[in-house]
Amino acid sequence: MNVCNRCGREIEWIRTTSGKPIPFDAEPVFVIEGDGRDTFTDDSGAPIVGRVARPEEESPELPVAFVPHWMTCGRG
């Protein structure tokens, strides 16, 4: 398990398709693709642009992706 050295939350390192390792929140989220401007990354490192699905929108048909940790880091 990796943790952020600033806030202490669990993170996962994923290598993007460009080859750069980036820290992501450990818990994946469902993404509404094309509805929003945030960039997420799937487990293969490919980017997905959209927004996090609200609980009532979550569905197995939606893409699952990881949130870049810089978007949520509390910087403890």
Side-chain angles (χ1 to χ4, degrees):
M1 174 178 79
N2 294 298
V3 294
C4 174
N5 61 3
R6 290 187 165 182
C7 71
R9 289 183 49 208
E10 187 176 349
I11 58 173
E12 294 290 331
W13 288 89
I14 299 173
R15 191 170 299 276
T16 64
T17 53
S18 65
K20 184 177 181 181
I22 296 179
F24 289 88
D25 289 348
E27 287 294 317
V29 296
F30 288 106
V31 176
I32 305 293
E33 199 168 2
D35 184 14
R37 299 166 125 201
D38 292 327
T39 301
F40 306 91
T41 299
D42 68 15
D43 59 356
S44 71
I48 299 175
V49 177
R51 65 171 174 83
V52 174
R54 293 184 296 273
E56 66 272 12
E57 297 173 312
E58 292 180 356
S59 165
E61 291 82 35
L62 291 175
V64 174
F66 293 88
V67 177
H69 185 63
W70 60 263
M71 289 176 64
T72 63
C73 183
R75 300 194 190 271

